Amino acid sequence: MQSNRMDVDHHQKKINVEVHLKSQSGVKLSEVKMHVQALLSRHCVVFGNYKWTEFDEDFLRNHVKSVAVVDLEEMASQPLDLSSCAITIHMFTLNEDGPSTLSLEEDEELSAANHWLLPAAEFHGIWESLVYESGVKTQLLDYVTTTMYFSDKNVDSNLISWNRVVLLHGPPGTGKTSLCKALAQKLSIRLSSRYTYGQFVEINSHSLFSKWFSESGKLVTKMFQKIQQLIDDKEAIVFVLIDEVESLTAARNACQAGTEPSDAIRVVNSVLTQLDQIKRHSNVVILTTSNVTEKIDLAFVDRADIKQYIGPPSVKGIYHIYLSCLEELMKCQIIYPRQQLFTMFELETMGFARSEVSEHSLTVRDIAVKSKGLSGRALRKLPFLAHALFVKTPSVTLERFLEAMDQAADKQKEEKANLMNSF
């Protein structure tokens, strides 16, 4: 938390501005901040989130990739005057290295975890690409920011309990793992005034239950020792992701039913004990996901402060996903010539009236209605399938492409129904 935030006029709207610096830029951050402030005062009225990628002055052109006003309500309907807001500027460069693996045995090819330095180039843009019902992403950000603030203020955790554990649950394909990565990336930028960098460790639950059950308990301890070394660096904020946490529970239940060796229960207990150990540190956040809510270990659920359900996108969410896909295809000139598409808010303002200018946007909305029930993963694949199966030419008009998307949506729904029937 930046201390200057606490002194601002509480009636002012708090706005976050993220400044993506070019990696080779060795310029002083205070200097960048001054130029960014000047840019914001020159262009002080924005609608919703706004990003500058082209600049009218050399300094920004040479040192900055983008300046973005972020995390306002999904579609702000009112113009926002930045000059009357309390602005916090966050500056970052992206780490271009891919993941490294945390391996636990010198002679074994046992990779128990992947490890990234944040903010990572690989995670850039995920946050913006995920569309959920209003408030989910903001709530998660606020939750972690508050845990940091409570730790800073030395709140006695015996009196007020919080565990630094987040659980995202819901059906497969809704972007839970991506959201964990995006949240860690976002927080490493948001907290850059406190932590020099972020560390992200993604634990592979399945590899912990190695084929040598008796070794698994030791492996868990070994892995958490490595994570502890990362946490010991107080310059870093560490995010630990345990994906598909229900696999821990499955092991425990199987033990109790007598179908698995009792070592498995040792592994689960070992994981829970280690989590209890590391969550004492103020610079760690534990992120977990589960596709099968009812199968999660109660001992685990109890440890999570936030249990957030992540469901399939609504029609509004689907519309925004499709809009971002179509904008990208127009930018790459696969769809040509470029044509204007309206946001859902703009369509609502027009009362969904059909006209020459709104025709294409309303078609996208019809396809979004038809696509309800598809997972986020399937939705983002749909424009690709539309092109591969129904377009087949290098460049295509928007009108023709929307016909192809409509066909692809029908095909996806049909395949989903066939799959359901075959079970």
Side-chain angles (χ1 to χ4, degrees):
M1 288 287 276
Q2 299 203 338
S3 55
N4 62 345
R5 278 192 195 176
M6 308 316 292
D7 313 323
V8 296
D9 173 354
H10 289 289
H11 299 301
Q12 284 184 305
K13 192 166 173 54
K14 293 182 176 65
I15 300 294
N16 290 291
V17 173
E18 292 177 1
V19 180
H20 179 184
L21 298 167
K22 292 188 172 177
S23 48
Q24 71 281 11
S25 167
V27 71
K28 277 189 180 158
L29 294 184
S30 55
E31 213 175 326
V32 178
K33 192 172 183 178
M34 201 172 66
H35 283 270
V36 170
Q37 281 165 333
L39 171 81
L40 297 175
S41 56
R42 283 199 300 279
H43 307 274
C44 59
V45 176
V46 294
F47 280 86
N49 296 336
Y50 191 81
K51 187 187 238 183
W52 289 269
T53 50
E54 290 174 11
F55 304 103
D56 45 14
E57 57 138 328
D58 285 343
F59 180 89
L60 290 174
R61 226 175 273 142
N62 294 336
H63 298 289
V64 171
K65 278 196 170 177
S66 66
V67 173
V69 179
V70 295
D71 302 324
L72 297 170
E73 286 68 17
E74 287 309 288
M75 287 318 305
S77 50
Q78 299 300 315
L80 180 69
D81 182 357
L82 296 175
S83 61
S84 63
C85 299
I87 293 175
T88 309
I89 294 174
H90 311 277
M91 290 180 268
F92 67 97
T93 50
L94 290 176
N95 189 295
E96 299 289 341
D97 300 335
S100 55
T101 55
L102 284 183
S103 53
L104 302 179
E105 298 288 348
E106 289 68 33
D107 55 339
E108 274 306 327
E109 287 302 302
L110 186 68
S111 155
N114 284 328
H115 168 231
W116 286 263
L117 276 179
L118 299 179
E122 202 176 312
F123 297 174
H124 190 54
I126 300 180
W127 181 263
E128 292 72 21
S129 76
L130 294 168
V131 180
Y132 297 112
E133 296 311 287
S134 59
V136 168
K137 297 196 300 190
T138 320
Q139 278 166 13
L140 288 170
L141 266 182
D142 292 342
Y143 156 70
V144 183
T145 314
T146 298
T147 66
M148 296 294 158
Y149 183 53
F150 272 42
S151 299
D152 276 359
K153 291 288 184 187
N154 295 320
V155 172
D156 184 341
S157 58
N158 293 320
L159 297 175
I160 294 179
S161 157
W162 74 98
N163 279 335
R164 294 192 186 80
V165 179
V166 176
L167 169 66
L168 304 183
H169 61 97
T174 48
K176 296 180 294 295
T177 304
S178 297
L179 181 53
C180 288
K181 290 176 174 174
L183 180 64
Q185 175 94 334
K186 193 76 175 165
L187 286 159
S188 66
I189 293 168
R190 194 56 64 85
L191 299 166
S192 58
S193 61
R194 282 201 41 188
Y195 297 105
T196 316
Y197 57 96
Q199 302 264 16
F200 185 83
V201 179
E202 181 179 20
I203 294 176
N204 176 345
S205 306
H206 304 291
S207 76
L208 285 184
F209 302 113
S210 70
K211 49 192 171 189
W212 305 278
F213 263 101
S214 56
E215 290 297 304
S216 295
K218 286 183 208 151
L219 293 177
V220 171
T221 311
K222 247 187 198 177
M223 182 178 59
F224 277 97
Q225 279 167 353
K226 294 212 171 187
I227 293 171
Q228 183 63 54
Q229 285 166 10
L230 302 178
I231 295 169
D232 287 341
D233 178 1
K234 295 304 172 200
E235 291 284 289
I237 178 165
V238 180
F239 299 92
V240 179
L241 167 63
I242 305 178
D243 233 345
E244 297 181 23
V245 79
E246 66 271 15
S247 63
L248 294 178
T249 325
R252 184 191 285 247
N253 292 347
C255 292
Q256 286 161 344
T259 52
E260 285 283 3
S262 60
D263 295 308
I265 202 158
R266 228 177 277 154
V267 178
V268 179
N269 291 340
S270 178
V271 170
L272 293 172
T273 308
Q274 296 291 342
L275 287 178
D276 288 341
Q277 296 275 320
I278 66 170
K279 72 180 191 212
R280 293 184 193 150
H281 298 273
S282 60
N283 61 330
V284 71
V285 179
I286 296 156
L287 305 165
T288 61
T289 71
S290 173
N291 292 331
V292 209
T293 312
E294 62 280 6
K295 285 198 178 159
I296 311 169
D297 201 311
L298 278 176
F300 193 89
V301 173
D302 204 38
R303 284 167 169 76
D305 301 310
I306 280 205
K307 305 163 191 68
Q308 177 66 58
Y309 175 74
I310 306 287
S314 63
V315 170
K316 205 173 193 172
I318 295 171
Y319 183 85
H320 282 301
I321 289 172
Y322 283 164
L323 202 59
S324 69
C325 295
L326 292 164
E327 290 292 348
E328 179 66 15
L329 292 172
M330 287 194 274
K331 190 179 100 186
C332 300
Q333 296 192 343
I334 289 171
I335 296 177
Y336 189 84
R338 175 182 277 282
Q339 289 188 273
Q340 187 186 8
L341 288 168
F342 295 110
T343 63
M344 188 61 107
F345 169 72
E346 288 165 333
L347 283 179
E348 283 166 358
T349 312
M350 299 172 192
F352 298 106
R354 231 168 240 286
S355 69
E356 220 173 285
V357 284
S358 69
E359 189 67 46
H360 292 321
S361 304
L362 290 168
T363 305
V364 177
R365 181 171 172 259
D366 294 341
I367 300 170
V369 170
K370 182 182 278 190
S371 306
K372 192 154 168 46
L374 294 176
S375 72
R377 202 172 287 156
L379 296 169
R380 288 213 174 267
K381 213 176 277 174
L382 196 110
F384 170 79
L385 294 174
H387 192 283
L389 301 175
F390 304 109
V391 175
K392 303 178 187 177
T393 58
S395 187
V396 60
T397 63
L398 179 60
E399 190 174 352
R400 174 70 196 94
F401 192 81
L402 293 178
E403 286 169 18
M405 271 184 72
D406 193 51
Q407 289 172 280
D410 284 338
K411 192 171 166 55
Q412 287 283 83
K413 295 289 274 191
E414 190 187 312
E415 282 175 6
K416 191 177 174 188
N418 290 343
L419 265 175
M420 293 305 203
N421 294 336
S422 65
F423 283 112

